[in-house]
Amino acid sequence: MTELEETYACVPSTERGRGILISGHPKTNKILYTNNRSILILNLDNPLDVSVYGEHCYQATVARYSPNGEWIASADVSGTVRIWGAYNDHVLKKEFKVLTGRIDDLQWSPDGLRIVASGDGKGKSLVRAFMWDSGTNVGEFDGHSRRVLSCAFKPTRPFRIVTCGEDFLVNFYEGPPFKFKSSHRDHSNFVNCVRFSPDGSKFISVSSDKQGILFDGKTGEKIGQISSEDGHKGSIYAVSWSPDGKQVLTVSADKSAKVWEICDDGSGKLTKTLTSSCSGGVDDMLVGCLWQNDHLVTVSLGGTISIFSASDLDKSPLKIAGHMKNVTSLSVLKNVPKTILSSSYDGLIVKWIQGIGYSSKLQRKENTQIKCLAAAEEEIITSGFDNKIWRVCLHDDQCGDADSIDVGNQPRDISLALLCPELALITIESGVVMLRGTKVVSTINLGFSVTASVLAPDGSEAIIGGLDGKLHIYSVTGDTLTEEAVLEKHRGAISVIRYSPDGSMFASGDLNREAVVWDRVSREVKLKNMLYHTARINCLAWSPDSSMVATGSLDTCVIIYEIDKPASSRMTIKGAHLGGVYGLAFTDDHSVVSSGEDACVRVWRVNPQ
């Protein structure tokens, strides 16, 4: 049997020049954010307590808890709102097509019966309010001419709705049924976010013109603004009220977050500026914030979530980071077990520690894109989308000097000889390149189209798979390859080959969804009929004791086979990663780590029957 032990969450999807809206549970410390098609529920008290909802067909944009915390409404770029259960299996309650374009914000009414959503659309429908169970409209929302970036529902009766957007307007509606009451053009740039205070007496709008303006919650009249003397130096992207309604938190493109005290007369005084130590690039611009009970949460453009404590603002924040894009390769460091390295194609390498979660980001001096990653004890080897291979020294969390080697062709796969890691085999389209250290010792044209390769742990043998589904076995002598045998069993191009840790077997997977385990000495098939995936096999891993082999596929599943049992007694993890599994590794005989297109990394416990 297999069970999920840990999930290392992906970070919120961000976009340059736009704020993102994260939201929290009305009673607990759980927060909601979106990444691609997934909605993530993250517990601030325990960042390993993560739940993912992946039923949207398009990129999700915003999600909110209902006032009783039982339901979640989430929206996507197609204008669809889905309402689903917040616990257990996340059962779908309703789905409505609300707008014709993307939805940027949505909010529940305080009685949990109505939802207002705003965004982009054709014609005049940029805002809609509807009943949560039937989808019937409750009001007309005129007055906006461009994309509406944010909307808010007054949390007390009499109900009001306020909206703001790219036409620099803040509009105020009375109801229900809602109708236009007044409009304010006090901002001179996009108005990014609008929020009511918890008691409904005021609301605040923040804008790219660096101002925050306060309005009366009942009449919609302007009553004041936050002080501009020590204000933000860049666009303000998001704002969030404290639970007592006396302070607000704002975040801006100037890389700082500020806490303001809001007086009864509607003016705002700066209490504290929160900055966190960082690299200084554009990735540190802050684009989202949330005041959740005693936690102040900020999100940067690079996706890093910083959690400050409201009772002690001087305390340095807890940081949670991770991947935003497809995690294409995984590697477990052999000399420090339980340490996992994962890389995504945007060039980010993250170090995780099993049982703790996020450890650090590895800062390389050359931040190139990454297609393949291999790790030995004290170095990592990466290849990107140019013709270069990088060998980078690794000291704890720091990357040392990096050497680049030009192999003259786009690398497809990297394999290291684990016992003598200075020897590396790089697959290119027409053949292979052998490296010793940082020197190309030979470039060998094999005369067939190469798709995958592997070096034996001791570096004495290489297996190279081709587009024709054949496995060519070569012995490595000095810097040359001598063909020993050709194995034919696969019916599709070979996608991955791996030796077992004890060196007695090897396993191969192909694009036609089949995997095969071979005996290394006799070169006979050892485990056959491994045909249980429904799409191509992307990755393959052996357990350290060589008793199990795991395969990961585009069909979102991970299948674990035991070598001494028939393939039919397999263990399947269905839906391991939304969009497909791209990385697999064992950290010990009973823990397998997987990564995939949903940018998450998961650790599974394997208990053979």
Side-chain angles (χ1 to χ4, degrees), residues 85-105:
Y87 305 111
N88 304 337
D89 294 338
H90 303 310
V91 182
L92 181 68
K93 166 95 170 160
K94 290 282 179 187
E95 182 175 36
F96 301 116
K97 180 89 169 117
V98 178
L99 301 179
T100 51
R102 66 173 281 153
I103 293 177
D104 283 304
D105 197 3

mmCIF file with all atom_site columns, all heavy atoms in Angstrom, residues 85-105:
data_model
loop_
_atom_site.group_PDB
_atom_site.id
_atom_site.type_symbol
_atom_site.label_atom_id
_atom_site.label_alt_id
_atom_site.label_comp_id
_atom_site.label_asym_id
_atom_site.label_entity_id
_atom_site.label_seq_id
_atom_site.pdbx_PDB_ins_code
_atom_site.Cartn_x
_atom_site.Cartn_y
_atom_site.Cartn_z
_atom_site.occupancy
_atom_site.B_iso_or_equiv
_atom_site.pdbx_formal_charge
_atom_site.auth_seq_id
_atom_site.auth_comp_id
_atom_site.auth_asym_id
_atom_site.auth_atom_id
_atom_site.pdbx_PDB_model_num
ATOM 1   N N   . GLY A 1 85  ? -16.670 21.735 -1.697  1.00 0.00 ? 85  GLY A N   1
ATOM 2   C CA  . GLY A 1 85  ? -16.510 21.522 -0.265  1.00 0.00 ? 85  GLY A CA  1
ATOM 3   C C   . GLY A 1 85  ? -15.077 21.744 0.179   1.00 0.00 ? 85  GLY A C   1
ATOM 4   O O   . GLY A 1 85  ? -14.129 21.346 -0.497  1.00 0.00 ? 85  GLY A O   1
ATOM 5   N N   . ALA A 1 86  ? -14.914 22.367 1.347   1.00 0.00 ? 86  ALA A N   1
ATOM 6   C CA  . ALA A 1 86  ? -13.564 22.729 1.810   1.00 0.00 ? 86  ALA A CA  1
ATOM 7   C C   . ALA A 1 86  ? -12.828 21.548 2.430   1.00 0.00 ? 86  ALA A C   1
ATOM 8   O O   . ALA A 1 86  ? -11.634 21.629 2.648   1.00 0.00 ? 86  ALA A O   1
ATOM 9   C CB  . ALA A 1 86  ? -13.668 23.867 2.826   1.00 0.00 ? 86  ALA A CB  1
ATOM 10  N N   . TYR A 1 87  ? -13.531 20.443 2.712   1.00 0.00 ? 87  TYR A N   1
ATOM 11  C CA  . TYR A 1 87  ? -12.883 19.335 3.421   1.00 0.00 ? 87  TYR A CA  1
ATOM 12  C C   . TYR A 1 87  ? -12.914 18.054 2.602   1.00 0.00 ? 87  TYR A C   1
ATOM 13  O O   . TYR A 1 87  ? -13.628 17.948 1.608   1.00 0.00 ? 87  TYR A O   1
ATOM 14  C CB  . TYR A 1 87  ? -13.573 19.096 4.779   1.00 0.00 ? 87  TYR A CB  1
ATOM 15  C CG  . TYR A 1 87  ? -13.602 20.350 5.620   1.00 0.00 ? 87  TYR A CG  1
ATOM 16  C CD1 . TYR A 1 87  ? -14.793 21.020 5.888   1.00 0.00 ? 87  TYR A CD1 1
ATOM 17  C CD2 . TYR A 1 87  ? -12.420 20.903 6.101   1.00 0.00 ? 87  TYR A CD2 1
ATOM 18  C CE1 . TYR A 1 87  ? -14.808 22.187 6.627   1.00 0.00 ? 87  TYR A CE1 1
ATOM 19  C CE2 . TYR A 1 87  ? -12.427 22.071 6.836   1.00 0.00 ? 87  TYR A CE2 1
ATOM 20  C CZ  . TYR A 1 87  ? -13.619 22.709 7.099   1.00 0.00 ? 87  TYR A CZ  1
ATOM 21  O OH  . TYR A 1 87  ? -13.610 23.876 7.817   1.00 0.00 ? 87  TYR A OH  1
ATOM 22  N N   . ASN A 1 88  ? -12.171 17.069 3.073   1.00 0.00 ? 88  ASN A N   1
ATOM 23  C CA  . ASN A 1 88  ? -12.172 15.702 2.528   1.00 0.00 ? 88  ASN A CA  1
ATOM 24  C C   . ASN A 1 88  ? -12.021 15.665 1.010   1.00 0.00 ? 88  ASN A C   1
ATOM 25  O O   . ASN A 1 88  ? -10.999 16.044 0.481   1.00 0.00 ? 88  ASN A O   1
ATOM 26  C CB  . ASN A 1 88  ? -13.421 14.949 2.974   1.00 0.00 ? 88  ASN A CB  1
ATOM 27  C CG  . ASN A 1 88  ? -13.513 14.942 4.486   1.00 0.00 ? 88  ASN A CG  1
ATOM 28  O OD1 . ASN A 1 88  ? -12.498 15.095 5.154   1.00 0.00 ? 88  ASN A OD1 1
ATOM 29  N ND2 . ASN A 1 88  ? -14.691 14.791 5.030   1.00 0.00 ? 88  ASN A ND2 1
ATOM 30  N N   . ASP A 1 89  ? -13.085 15.256 0.306   1.00 0.00 ? 89  ASP A N   1
ATOM 31  C CA  . ASP A 1 89  ? -12.933 15.011 -1.130  1.00 0.00 ? 89  ASP A CA  1
ATOM 32  C C   . ASP A 1 89  ? -13.215 16.231 -1.995  1.00 0.00 ? 89  ASP A C   1
ATOM 33  O O   . ASP A 1 89  ? -13.251 16.118 -3.216  1.00 0.00 ? 89  ASP A O   1
ATOM 34  C CB  . ASP A 1 89  ? -13.871 13.873 -1.565  1.00 0.00 ? 89  ASP A CB  1
ATOM 35  C CG  . ASP A 1 89  ? -13.449 12.557 -0.932  1.00 0.00 ? 89  ASP A CG  1
ATOM 36  O OD1 . ASP A 1 89  ? -12.270 12.456 -0.552  1.00 0.00 ? 89  ASP A OD1 1
ATOM 37  O OD2 . ASP A 1 89  ? -14.283 11.654 -0.821  1.00 0.00 ? 89  ASP A OD2 1
ATOM 38  N N   . HIS A 1 90  ? -13.458 17.382 -1.392  1.00 0.00 ? 90  HIS A N   1
ATOM 39  C CA  . HIS A 1 90  ? -13.724 18.616 -2.160  1.00 0.00 ? 90  HIS A CA  1
ATOM 40  C C   . HIS A 1 90  ? -14.837 18.398 -3.198  1.00 0.00 ? 90  HIS A C   1
ATOM 41  O O   . HIS A 1 90  ? -14.646 18.606 -4.393  1.00 0.00 ? 90  HIS A O   1
ATOM 42  C CB  . HIS A 1 90  ? -12.454 19.112 -2.857  1.00 0.00 ? 90  HIS A CB  1
ATOM 43  C CG  . HIS A 1 90  ? -11.315 19.351 -1.910  1.00 0.00 ? 90  HIS A CG  1
ATOM 44  N ND1 . HIS A 1 90  ? -11.451 20.093 -0.752  1.00 0.00 ? 90  HIS A ND1 1
ATOM 45  C CD2 . HIS A 1 90  ? -10.027 18.954 -1.938  1.00 0.00 ? 90  HIS A CD2 1
ATOM 46  C CE1 . HIS A 1 90  ? -10.284 20.134 -0.117  1.00 0.00 ? 90  HIS A CE1 1
ATOM 47  N NE2 . HIS A 1 90  ? -9.405  19.450 -0.802  1.00 0.00 ? 90  HIS A NE2 1
ATOM 48  N N   . VAL A 1 91  ? -15.987 17.964 -2.715  1.00 0.00 ? 91  VAL A N   1
ATOM 49  C CA  . VAL A 1 91  ? -17.103 17.651 -3.608  1.00 0.00 ? 91  VAL A CA  1
ATOM 50  C C   . VAL A 1 91  ? -17.606 18.926 -4.283  1.00 0.00 ? 91  VAL A C   1
ATOM 51  O O   . VAL A 1 91  ? -17.797 19.960 -3.635  1.00 0.00 ? 91  VAL A O   1
ATOM 52  C CB  . VAL A 1 91  ? -18.259 17.030 -2.790  1.00 0.00 ? 91  VAL A CB  1
ATOM 53  C CG1 . VAL A 1 91  ? -19.409 16.649 -3.699  1.00 0.00 ? 91  VAL A CG1 1
ATOM 54  C CG2 . VAL A 1 91  ? -17.755 15.813 -2.044  1.00 0.00 ? 91  VAL A CG2 1
ATOM 55  N N   . LEU A 1 92  ? -17.856 18.831 -5.601  1.00 0.00 ? 92  LEU A N   1
ATOM 56  C CA  . LEU A 1 92  ? -18.349 19.994 -6.345  1.00 0.00 ? 92  LEU A CA  1
ATOM 57  C C   . LEU A 1 92  ? -19.827 20.215 -6.041  1.00 0.00 ? 92  LEU A C   1
ATOM 58  O O   . LEU A 1 92  ? -20.638 19.291 -6.144  1.00 0.00 ? 92  LEU A O   1
ATOM 59  C CB  . LEU A 1 92  ? -18.162 19.773 -7.854  1.00 0.00 ? 92  LEU A CB  1
ATOM 60  C CG  . LEU A 1 92  ? -18.627 20.930 -8.731  1.00 0.00 ? 92  LEU A CG  1
ATOM 61  C CD1 . LEU A 1 92  ? -17.738 22.144 -8.545  1.00 0.00 ? 92  LEU A CD1 1
ATOM 62  C CD2 . LEU A 1 92  ? -18.633 20.536 -10.202 1.00 0.00 ? 92  LEU A CD2 1
ATOM 63  N N   . LYS A 1 93  ? -20.172 21.463 -5.639  1.00 0.00 ? 93  LYS A N   1
ATOM 64  C CA  . LYS A 1 93  ? -21.569 21.792 -5.359  1.00 0.00 ? 93  LYS A CA  1
ATOM 65  C C   . LYS A 1 93  ? -22.222 22.406 -6.606  1.00 0.00 ? 93  LYS A C   1
ATOM 66  O O   . LYS A 1 93  ? -23.271 21.973 -7.050  1.00 0.00 ? 93  LYS A O   1
ATOM 67  C CB  . LYS A 1 93  ? -21.594 22.761 -4.177  1.00 0.00 ? 93  LYS A CB  1
ATOM 68  C CG  . LYS A 1 93  ? -22.897 23.469 -3.952  1.00 0.00 ? 93  LYS A CG  1
ATOM 69  C CD  . LYS A 1 93  ? -23.748 22.766 -2.944  1.00 0.00 ? 93  LYS A CD  1
ATOM 70  C CE  . LYS A 1 93  ? -24.928 23.626 -2.572  1.00 0.00 ? 93  LYS A CE  1
ATOM 71  N NZ  . LYS A 1 93  ? -26.007 22.883 -1.978  1.00 0.00 ? 93  LYS A NZ  1
ATOM 72  N N   . LYS A 1 94  ? -21.577 23.427 -7.168  1.00 0.00 ? 94  LYS A N   1
ATOM 73  C CA  . LYS A 1 94  ? -22.140 24.111 -8.337  1.00 0.00 ? 94  LYS A CA  1
ATOM 74  C C   . LYS A 1 94  ? -21.014 24.624 -9.221  1.00 0.00 ? 94  LYS A C   1
ATOM 75  O O   . LYS A 1 94  ? -19.910 24.902 -8.745  1.00 0.00 ? 94  LYS A O   1
ATOM 76  C CB  . LYS A 1 94  ? -22.975 25.327 -7.898  1.00 0.00 ? 94  LYS A CB  1
ATOM 77  C CG  . LYS A 1 94  ? -24.276 24.995 -7.192  1.00 0.00 ? 94  LYS A CG  1
ATOM 78  C CD  . LYS A 1 94  ? -25.336 24.580 -8.190  1.00 0.00 ? 94  LYS A CD  1
ATOM 79  C CE  . LYS A 1 94  ? -26.631 24.224 -7.486  1.00 0.00 ? 94  LYS A CE  1
ATOM 80  N NZ  . LYS A 1 94  ? -27.620 23.677 -8.371  1.00 0.00 ? 94  LYS A NZ  1
ATOM 81  N N   . GLU A 1 95  ? -21.340 24.801 -10.501 1.00 0.00 ? 95  GLU A N   1
ATOM 82  C CA  . GLU A 1 95  ? -20.406 25.461 -11.413 1.00 0.00 ? 95  GLU A CA  1
ATOM 83  C C   . GLU A 1 95  ? -21.189 26.453 -12.259 1.00 0.00 ? 95  GLU A C   1
ATOM 84  O O   . GLU A 1 95  ? -22.237 26.100 -12.809 1.00 0.00 ? 95  GLU A O   1
ATOM 85  C CB  . GLU A 1 95  ? -19.713 24.424 -12.311 1.00 0.00 ? 95  GLU A CB  1
ATOM 86  C CG  . GLU A 1 95  ? -18.692 25.051 -13.239 1.00 0.00 ? 95  GLU A CG  1
ATOM 87  C CD  . GLU A 1 95  ? -17.916 24.013 -14.050 1.00 0.00 ? 95  GLU A CD  1
ATOM 88  O OE1 . GLU A 1 95  ? -18.510 23.003 -14.444 1.00 0.00 ? 95  GLU A OE1 1
ATOM 89  O OE2 . GLU A 1 95  ? -16.729 24.232 -14.279 1.00 0.00 ? 95  GLU A OE2 1
ATOM 90  N N   . PHE A 1 96  ? -20.731 27.690 -12.318 1.00 0.00 ? 96  PHE A N   1
ATOM 91  C CA  . PHE A 1 96  ? -21.434 28.725 -13.088 1.00 0.00 ? 96  PHE A CA  1
ATOM 92  C C   . PHE A 1 96  ? -20.476 29.412 -14.045 1.00 0.00 ? 96  PHE A C   1
ATOM 93  O O   . PHE A 1 96  ? -19.312 29.649 -13.698 1.00 0.00 ? 96  PHE A O   1
ATOM 94  C CB  . PHE A 1 96  ? -22.003 29.817 -12.161 1.00 0.00 ? 96  PHE A CB  1
ATOM 95  C CG  . PHE A 1 96  ? -22.971 29.295 -11.140 1.00 0.00 ? 96  PHE A CG  1
ATOM 96  C CD1 . PHE A 1 96  ? -22.677 29.372 -9.779  1.00 0.00 ? 96  PHE A CD1 1
ATOM 97  C CD2 . PHE A 1 96  ? -24.176 28.741 -11.524 1.00 0.00 ? 96  PHE A CD2 1
ATOM 98  C CE1 . PHE A 1 96  ? -23.567 28.895 -8.825  1.00 0.00 ? 96  PHE A CE1 1
ATOM 99  C CE2 . PHE A 1 96  ? -25.067 28.257 -10.568 1.00 0.00 ? 96  PHE A CE2 1
ATOM 100 C CZ  . PHE A 1 96  ? -24.765 28.343 -9.218  1.00 0.00 ? 96  PHE A CZ  1
ATOM 101 N N   . LYS A 1 97  ? -20.971 29.733 -15.238 1.00 0.00 ? 97  LYS A N   1
ATOM 102 C CA  . LYS A 1 97  ? -20.214 30.580 -16.158 1.00 0.00 ? 97  LYS A CA  1
ATOM 103 C C   . LYS A 1 97  ? -20.664 32.003 -15.870 1.00 0.00 ? 97  LYS A C   1
ATOM 104 O O   . LYS A 1 97  ? -21.804 32.369 -16.137 1.00 0.00 ? 97  LYS A O   1
ATOM 105 C CB  . LYS A 1 97  ? -20.541 30.176 -17.599 1.00 0.00 ? 97  LYS A CB  1
ATOM 106 C CG  . LYS A 1 97  ? -19.802 30.992 -18.625 1.00 0.00 ? 97  LYS A CG  1
ATOM 107 C CD  . LYS A 1 97  ? -18.461 30.357 -18.959 1.00 0.00 ? 97  LYS A CD  1
ATOM 108 C CE  . LYS A 1 97  ? -17.835 31.008 -20.165 1.00 0.00 ? 97  LYS A CE  1
ATOM 109 N NZ  . LYS A 1 97  ? -16.610 31.684 -19.984 1.00 0.00 ? 97  LYS A NZ  1
ATOM 110 N N   . VAL A 1 98  ? -19.774 32.806 -15.287 1.00 0.00 ? 98  VAL A N   1
ATOM 111 C CA  . VAL A 1 98  ? -20.186 34.101 -14.747 1.00 0.00 ? 98  VAL A CA  1
ATOM 112 C C   . VAL A 1 98  ? -19.855 35.251 -15.698 1.00 0.00 ? 98  VAL A C   1
ATOM 113 O O   . VAL A 1 98  ? -20.690 36.089 -15.996 1.00 0.00 ? 98  VAL A O   1
ATOM 114 C CB  . VAL A 1 98  ? -19.521 34.324 -13.369 1.00 0.00 ? 98  VAL A CB  1
ATOM 115 C CG1 . VAL A 1 98  ? -19.891 35.687 -12.804 1.00 0.00 ? 98  VAL A CG1 1
ATOM 116 C CG2 . VAL A 1 98  ? -19.961 33.239 -12.405 1.00 0.00 ? 98  VAL A CG2 1
ATOM 117 N N   . LEU A 1 99  ? -18.611 35.296 -16.174 1.00 0.00 ? 99  LEU A N   1
ATOM 118 C CA  . LEU A 1 99  ? -18.195 36.361 -17.087 1.00 0.00 ? 99  LEU A CA  1
ATOM 119 C C   . LEU A 1 99  ? -17.708 35.749 -18.392 1.00 0.00 ? 99  LEU A C   1
ATOM 120 O O   . LEU A 1 99  ? -17.461 34.548 -18.477 1.00 0.00 ? 99  LEU A O   1
ATOM 121 C CB  . LEU A 1 99  ? -17.062 37.202 -16.471 1.00 0.00 ? 99  LEU A CB  1
ATOM 122 C CG  . LEU A 1 99  ? -17.354 37.915 -15.132 1.00 0.00 ? 99  LEU A CG  1
ATOM 123 C CD1 . LEU A 1 99  ? -16.128 38.678 -14.674 1.00 0.00 ? 99  LEU A CD1 1
ATOM 124 C CD2 . LEU A 1 99  ? -18.522 38.870 -15.269 1.00 0.00 ? 99  LEU A CD2 1
ATOM 125 N N   . THR A 1 100 ? -17.526 36.604 -19.415 1.00 0.00 ? 100 THR A N   1
ATOM 126 C CA  . THR A 1 100 ? -17.032 36.079 -20.694 1.00 0.00 ? 100 THR A CA  1
ATOM 127 C C   . THR A 1 100 ? -15.509 36.063 -20.750 1.00 0.00 ? 100 THR A C   1
ATOM 128 O O   . THR A 1 100 ? -14.935 35.422 -21.612 1.00 0.00 ? 100 THR A O   1
ATOM 129 C CB  . THR A 1 100 ? -17.563 36.932 -21.852 1.00 0.00 ? 100 THR A CB  1
ATOM 130 O OG1 . THR A 1 100 ? -17.289 38.307 -21.554 1.00 0.00 ? 100 THR A OG1 1
ATOM 131 C CG2 . THR A 1 100 ? -19.048 36.761 -22.010 1.00 0.00 ? 100 THR A CG2 1
ATOM 132 N N   . GLY A 1 101 ? -14.858 36.794 -19.834 1.00 0.00 ? 101 GLY A N   1
ATOM 133 C CA  . GLY A 1 101 ? -13.389 36.802 -19.802 1.00 0.00 ? 101 GLY A CA  1
ATOM 134 C C   . GLY A 1 101 ? -12.900 36.317 -18.455 1.00 0.00 ? 101 GLY A C   1
ATOM 135 O O   . GLY A 1 101 ? -13.631 35.676 -17.708 1.00 0.00 ? 101 GLY A O   1
ATOM 136 N N   . ARG A 1 102 ? -11.650 36.651 -18.106 1.00 0.00 ? 102 ARG A N   1
ATOM 137 C CA  . ARG A 1 102 ? -11.074 36.143 -16.864 1.00 0.00 ? 102 ARG A CA  1
ATOM 138 C C   . ARG A 1 102 ? -11.698 36.818 -15.649 1.00 0.00 ? 102 ARG A C   1
ATOM 139 O O   . ARG A 1 102 ? -12.100 37.985 -15.705 1.00 0.00 ? 102 ARG A O   1
ATOM 140 C CB  . ARG A 1 102 ? -9.558  36.303 -16.838 1.00 0.00 ? 102 ARG A CB  1
ATOM 141 C CG  . ARG A 1 102 ? -9.049  37.711 -16.823 1.00 0.00 ? 102 ARG A CG  1
ATOM 142 C CD  . ARG A 1 102 ? -7.535  37.728 -16.624 1.00 0.00 ? 102 ARG A CD  1
ATOM 143 N NE  . ARG A 1 102 ? -7.167  37.521 -15.237 1.00 0.00 ? 102 ARG A NE  1
ATOM 144 C CZ  . ARG A 1 102 ? -6.007  36.992 -14.852 1.00 0.00 ? 102 ARG A CZ  1
ATOM 145 N NH1 . ARG A 1 102 ? -5.134  36.591 -15.745 1.00 0.00 ? 102 ARG A NH1 1
ATOM 146 N NH2 . ARG A 1 102 ? -5.729  36.851 -13.571 1.00 0.00 ? 102 ARG A NH2 1
ATOM 147 N N   . ILE A 1 103 ? -11.772 36.087 -14.532 1.00 0.00 ? 103 ILE A N   1
ATOM 148 C CA  . ILE A 1 103 ? -12.262 36.655 -13.270 1.00 0.00 ? 103 ILE A CA  1
ATOM 149 C C   . ILE A 1 103 ? -11.044 37.001 -12.418 1.00 0.00 ? 103 ILE A C   1
ATOM 150 O O   . ILE A 1 103 ? -10.143 36.177 -12.253 1.00 0.00 ? 103 ILE A O   1
ATOM 151 C CB  . ILE A 1 103 ? -13.167 35.642 -12.544 1.00 0.00 ? 103 ILE A CB  1
ATOM 152 C CG1 . ILE A 1 103 ? -14.442 35.428 -13.370 1.00 0.00 ? 103 ILE A CG1 1
ATOM 153 C CG2 . ILE A 1 103 ? -13.498 36.114 -11.130 1.00 0.00 ? 103 ILE A CG2 1
ATOM 154 C CD1 . ILE A 1 103 ? -15.385 34.409 -12.799 1.00 0.00 ? 103 ILE A CD1 1
ATOM 155 N N   . ASP A 1 104 ? -10.988 38.237 -11.926 1.00 0.00 ? 104 ASP A N   1
ATOM 156 C CA  . ASP A 1 104 ? -9.833  38.665 -11.135 1.00 0.00 ? 104 ASP A CA  1
ATOM 157 C C   . ASP A 1 104 ? -10.086 38.626 -9.634  1.00 0.00 ? 104 ASP A C   1
ATOM 158 O O   . ASP A 1 104 ? -9.158  38.523 -8.857  1.00 0.00 ? 104 ASP A O   1
ATOM 159 C CB  . ASP A 1 104 ? -9.436  40.098 -11.528 1.00 0.00 ? 104 ASP A CB  1
ATOM 160 C CG  . ASP A 1 104 ? -8.681  40.106 -12.845 1.00 0.00 ? 104 ASP A CG  1
ATOM 161 O OD1 . ASP A 1 104 ? -7.661  39.410 -12.931 1.00 0.00 ? 104 ASP A OD1 1
ATOM 162 O OD2 . ASP A 1 104 ? -9.117  40.785 -13.785 1.00 0.00 ? 104 ASP A OD2 1
ATOM 163 N N   . ASP A 1 105 ? -11.335 38.759 -9.218  1.00 0.00 ? 105 ASP A N   1
ATOM 164 C CA  . ASP A 1 105 ? -11.624 38.753 -7.788  1.00 0.00 ? 105 ASP A CA  1
ATOM 165 C C   . ASP A 1 105 ? -13.045 38.259 -7.580  1.00 0.00 ? 105 ASP A C   1
ATOM 166 O O   . ASP A 1 105 ? -13.915 38.459 -8.443  1.00 0.00 ? 105 ASP A O   1
ATOM 167 C CB  . ASP A 1 105 ? -11.472 40.175 -7.210  1.00 0.00 ? 105 ASP A CB  1
ATOM 168 C CG  . ASP A 1 105 ? -11.354 40.164 -5.681  1.00 0.00 ? 105 ASP A CG  1
ATOM 169 O OD1 . ASP A 1 105 ? -11.338 39.074 -5.089  1.00 0.00 ? 105 ASP A OD1 1
ATOM 170 O OD2 . ASP A 1 105 ? -11.273 41.257 -5.082  1.00 0.00 ? 105 ASP A OD2 1
#
